[in-house]
Amino acid sequence: MQLIANLRGWYEQGWLRAIDLSLAEYLYSKLGADAEAVAVLAALVSHQLGHGHPCLELNELWQDPEATLQIPPEHASYSSVHLCASATEMVAALGPAIVEQLAQSTAVNTLNSPLVLQGQERLYLRRYWDYEQQIKQDLALRMAQQEPIATDALRETLDDLFGVATTLSWQRLACAMAVRSGFTVITGGPGTGKTYTVVRLLATLQKHRADAEPLRIRLAAPTGKAAKRMEDSINEELKRLPTEYSDLLTENQAVTLHRLLGTQSRSRAFRHHANNPLLADVVIIDEASMVDIEMMAAITAALPTTTKLILLGDKDQLASVEAGAVLGQLCDEAEQGHYAANLAQWLNATLTSPAVSRGDDVGAQESIMLADDLIDAEGASQWPYLQHTVMLRESRRFKADEGIGKLATEINQQRTAWLREWLTRAEALTREDAKLANIQLLQVSKNSAASFKALVQQGYQPLQQLVSAGAEGFHDDAAWGEALLEQLEQFQMLAALRRGDWGMQRLNELATLWLNGDRVTSEQWFVGRPVMITQNDYSLDLRNGDIGIVVQRRPDEPPRVLFRGHKKGSLRWLLPSRLTHVETAYVMTIHKSQGSEFTHTVVVVPEHDTPLLTKELLYTGITRARKQLTLVCANPRLVLQATQRRILRGGGLT
């Protein structure tokens, strides 16, 4: 019972969740004292699930228990560390024969057993093992489908949409890949042309459809705001297409994944599943880095294998809040290509214009074709997902050698030389002069600093003025509402943490005080309060992450919370009393900001180091900025430390 007692000690100190301990105690009661070590490992698998890992990586556990389990956690008190067994002591107490004991246990690898052991490498809860196997089997079926298409005809269409190829175009390659394959991943950072590519892909698919009926195309994203941005971007890009192609695309509404699959009240299950599939020829999912393993399993189960599935997203962003890093695993090593020779030959044929293919200009031909170092003789066997993946590599939004683009790239590639130089230069400048290109460092020792307060007040002043002025000067309430929601996207503060002096909750309290005085608190329903939905509310058709603002249309009306509607151009004005799970959103966490972009983004780094500070977190926050970024921190060295730390989530999709 000593191991179970140690687990209880972890739970009492807040190091372990109640559900983790309960699983261990349940298995111990069913299997007996001889299986105590197995029960403890089950609790650790559950604990890892709470940290976003769909499994427990056993080799990592044996090598570095503290780092793998993040025990003791960052919030552990000095006394609790001395009261509790360490992770190293706990793992050592499991005994040298634990893997053999796992393999022989009735709780592992038997019919409907709660645990599944994969070789000697990974231990899963049964449900998450099933999710992973379902995804792998489904994607294998889709990848096996190679749609026959005349290369010359496809190249002519791509010439119409992208122009005749004179240099290697990754956007064009992605379009060709998706037309050919039943499953495709298009990954790339901000401004690399994902929407540009998708619009031309949709036109190409409709142009080369097998029969006269238009393809049934469904567009979706994990959150309402990501779906809205996807829809707006596609409709804007459509204006740049030749009329003969834009006329092929009439239905371009994007919805959340929950709406796509059909939610059911008081149930985790969806209306569309294997026995009631979603009728669609093509499904395109944006911001796929936010899709967790459970949702991806639901998507693959709901789509017939004849449906073409296309994932869009930035593999370098933060993974989903829930368990799994699906996109990151599918795109692993995408920078290196690893294309099989026959695939590279076909892709080159879709790129090369007829004049070049005749050999009129050998040098030009080489500049258009895939480089040899992207071709791998073992690509098809060792990197099957990459045979269906294209990485977009050139940002058209940011300059690669300065400002936001340079900062994001250096952090993403974990290079610190330029970053250290920039931080040193920025530290030495006054606040007024610290803006270099479109990035600015604001170094403040306290969250109450006058310069930080001024930044917040100036950033939110236009929104406050718009709220105070009301609908006067606008054609109608709808025009005013649209202006308010657009202004919400102009300035946004992002925090790395939820709690602490530099966490989201405390910064929201300060912003509320600085912008409204002491007449309200951040928890009250005051006019002008920006809010975020924190849990799906199916009765109101609101999703986790939806953003609104409290306004008063007329003096004789009660305040309402304004949200975007699901139909294009529609707005919703809801009474605050109808909303149950909301929080003030002057500041949101970087995790919650995924799928959004803001004209001026302020990223706040805490004053002390924490395992949550990683290069993925910084990269995601920085790339939410469209035109201007302000990095607020007390200690610039933490930015360098975070750049050198990566998130490594377990899983067996690769």
Side-chain angles (χ1 to χ4, degrees):
M1 281 290 288
Q2 184 57 48
L3 288 173
I4 297 294
N6 288 342
L7 282 184
R8 291 194 183 110
W10 286 4
Y11 166 69
E12 289 167 0
Q13 297 301 324
W15 298 6
L16 208 66
R17 301 177 302 171
I19 193 172
D20 308 329
L21 176 62
S22 295
L23 176 61
E25 291 179 333
Y26 172 78
L27 288 179
Y28 182 80
S29 68
K30 293 293 183 182
L31 300 175
D34 292 342
E36 184 180 22
V38 174
V40 167
L41 276 176
L44 299 185
V45 176
S46 179
H47 168 76
Q48 290 297 86
L49 193 62
H51 283 76
H53 303 278
C55 63
L56 176 61
E57 297 282 353
L58 294 177
N59 290 333
E60 293 179 9
L61 181 67
W62 312 143
Q63 292 171 11
D64 195 341
E66 274 83 6
T68 302
L69 300 174
Q70 294 183 33
I71 286 181
E74 62 168 0
H75 65 261
S77 65
Y78 179 82
S79 60
S80 68
V81 171
H82 290 277
L83 283 172
C84 296
S86 71
T88 299
E89 291 169 341
M90 183 76 92
V91 170
L94 295 174
I98 182 58
V99 175
E100 181 181 348
Q101 188 177 354
L102 278 171
Q104 296 174 354
S105 173
T106 57
V108 182
N109 288 9
T110 58
L111 184 63
N112 295 325
S113 61
L115 300 173
V116 176
L117 178 65
Q118 182 187 50
Q120 296 187 358
E121 299 174 358
R122 300 184 180 97
L123 187 63
Y124 292 81
L125 294 181
R126 165 69 63 179
R127 184 152 60 97
Y128 286 84
W129 164 263
D130 289 344
Y131 289 152
E132 194 172 275
Q133 296 308 302
Q134 179 190 317
I135 293 169
K136 292 171 71 172
Q137 292 164 13
D138 180 272
L139 296 186
L141 290 172
R142 295 183 198 278
M143 291 189 296
Q145 299 176 26
Q146 300 295 326
E147 193 168 311
I149 186 168
T151 307
D152 290 342
L154 175 59
R155 187 173 59 241
E156 290 178 7
T157 300
L158 296 179
D159 283 348
D160 288 343
L161 293 168
F162 292 90
V164 175
T166 56
T167 58
L168 179 62
S169 168
W170 289 102
Q171 290 90 349
R172 181 171 172 146
L173 277 180
C175 189
M177 177 89 78
V179 170
R180 180 178 191 244
S181 177
F183 170 68
T184 309
V185 177
I186 302 174
T187 185
T192 51
K194 293 188 289 293
T195 302
Y196 173 87
T197 303
V198 164
V199 169
R200 285 152 183 80
L201 168 59
L202 293 173
T204 305
L205 290 171
Q206 292 288 17
K207 176 82 171 177
H208 292 273
R209 61 187 183 271
D211 52 46
E213 290 297 318
L215 294 173
R216 296 167 296 184
I217 297 173
R218 302 298 301 273
L219 308 173
T223 65
K225 58 187 176 183
K228 178 66 168 58
R229 192 159 65 86
M230 180 189 193
E231 182 178 319
D232 289 346
S233 299
I234 286 176
N235 287 328
E236 188 64 29
E237 189 62 42
L238 275 174
K239 299 174 183 176
R240 300 180 177 90
L241 283 188
T243 304
E244 64 174 298
Y245 291 99
S246 61
D247 288 347
L248 297 173
L249 306 173
T250 55
E251 293 294 330
N252 304 303
Q253 183 182 7
V255 298
T256 63
L257 290 173
H258 286 83
R259 284 178 65 85
L260 179 74
L261 299 181
T263 53
Q264 301 185 94
S265 60
R266 294 185 292 277
S267 172
R268 294 171 66 96
F270 293 103
R271 187 162 52 86
H272 291 294
H273 45 74
N275 296 322
N276 181 33
L278 179 71
L279 299 180
D281 299 305
V282 181
V283 171
I284 301 180
I285 299 173
D286 197 10
E287 297 291 349
S289 63
M290 299 168 65
V291 179
D292 61 83
I293 193 170
E294 182 177 3
M295 176 57 79
M296 184 58 71
I299 292 165
T300 55
L303 300 184
T305 54
T306 54
T307 298
K308 192 182 292 289
L309 176 60
I310 301 167
L311 304 181
L312 310 174
D314 186 347
K315 71 180 183 63
D316 296 314
Q317 280 190 36
L318 284 166
S320 60
V321 175
E322 303 299 329
V326 176
L327 187 72
Q329 290 192 63
L330 297 179
C331 297
D332 189 30
E333 295 242 4
E335 293 89 347
Q336 281 71 48
H338 292 294
Y339 295 125
N342 61 341
L343 172 61
Q345 183 179 9
W346 183 84
L347 289 172
N348 285 335
T350 69
L351 286 167
T352 308
S353 64
V356 173
S357 66
R358 288 196 301 269
D360 296 352
D361 188 338
V362 176
Q365 184 175 0
E366 290 178 349
S367 71
I368 294 172
M369 296 171 63
L370 285 165
D372 290 342
D373 60 3
L374 296 174
I375 301 172
D376 186 343
E378 298 182 349
S381 58
Q382 297 299 317
W383 306 94
Y385 296 124
L386 295 188
Q387 311 311 302
H388 304 263
T389 298
V390 173
M391 180 175 174
L392 309 182
R393 298 160 190 254
E394 182 180 351
S395 177
R396 300 183 181 185
R397 181 181 307 163
F398 304 127
K399 294 181 179 180
D401 57 351
E402 67 177 38
I404 296 171
K406 179 69 171 176
L407 180 61
T409 299
E410 295 298 305
I411 287 176
N412 190 37
Q413 298 299 322
Q414 296 186 286
R415 299 193 293 252
T416 58
W418 178 90
L419 183 59
R420 183 178 287 106
E421 180 184 350
W422 173 70
L423 289 169
T424 301
R425 288 168 61 200
E427 270 187 278
L429 297 173
T430 64
R431 181 178 181 274
E432 289 74 16
D433 297 328
K435 185 178 177 184
L436 304 173
N438 53 9
I439 55 177
Q440 175 177 310
L441 175 70
L442 177 58
Q443 186 177 359
V444 290
S445 58
K446 296 182 178 180
N447 58 19
S448 58
S451 56
F452 183 45
K453 178 179 179 180
L455 174 70
V456 175
Q457 290 175 327
Q458 292 167 12
Y460 280 115
Q461 184 180 29
L463 178 64
Q464 286 189 295
Q465 291 174 341
L466 198 56
V467 170
S468 300
E472 184 178 345
F474 289 88
H475 180 262
D476 54 22
D477 288 352
W480 178 53
E482 188 63 34
L484 284 165
L485 293 176
E486 287 181 4
Q487 186 58 48
L488 270 176
E489 298 176 356
Q490 299 308 302
F491 180 86
Q492 182 63 55
M493 290 195 293
L494 305 179
L497 308 177
R498 285 190 62 85
R499 296 177 179 85
D501 287 345
W502 292 98
M504 179 271 291
Q505 293 176 346
R506 178 56 182 155
L507 293 180
N508 266 317
E509 292 173 358
L510 288 174
T512 302
L513 175 66
W514 293 339
L515 296 168
N516 304 279
D518 57 6
R519 60 186 178 83
V520 296
T521 69
S522 61
E523 301 302 316
Q524 291 177 303
W525 287 107
F526 56 89
V527 172
R529 179 193 185 193
V531 295
M532 174 184 284
I533 301 298
T534 59
Q535 289 187 25
N536 293 334
D537 188 333
Y538 301 116
S539 63
L540 292 177
D541 208 8
L542 290 172
R543 296 291 176 264
N544 186 358
D546 285 352
I547 297 290
I549 184 168
V550 182
V551 295
Q552 190 167 15
R553 290 183 288 188
R554 292 167 189 81
D556 58 342
E557 284 189 8
R560 306 264 179 170
V561 188
L562 169 65
F563 292 96
R564 290 197 188 278
H566 296 296
K567 294 183 179 179
K568 184 178 179 180
S570 66
L571 302 175
R572 305 179 69 192
W573 310 80
L574 303 178
L575 288 170
S577 58
R578 300 184 66 188
L579 305 178
T580 53
H581 299 287
V582 296
E583 59 190 16
T584 299
Y586 286 123
V587 186
M588 64 179 73
T589 62
I590 294 174
H591 266 97
K592 288 286 190 179
S593 73
Q594 288 181 267
S596 300
E597 289 179 349
F598 310 98
T599 301
H600 182 182
T601 300
V602 178
V603 175
V604 181
V605 179
E607 79 283 11
H608 62 277
D609 196 19
T610 163
L612 294 177
L613 271 182
T614 62
K615 70 108 172 175
E616 289 87 356
L617 190 81
L618 288 181
Y619 172 80
T620 301
I622 289 165
T623 54
R624 298 311 90 205
R626 279 196 293 258
K627 294 184 179 180
Q628 184 178 349
L629 171 80
T630 300
L631 187 63
V632 178
C633 61
N635 183 0
R637 287 195 299 267
L638 295 184
V639 177
L640 294 171
Q641 292 177 25
T643 299
Q644 295 170 309
R645 184 184 292 126
R646 291 194 61 188
I647 296 174
L648 295 174
R649 282 195 173 180
L653 282 177
T654 50

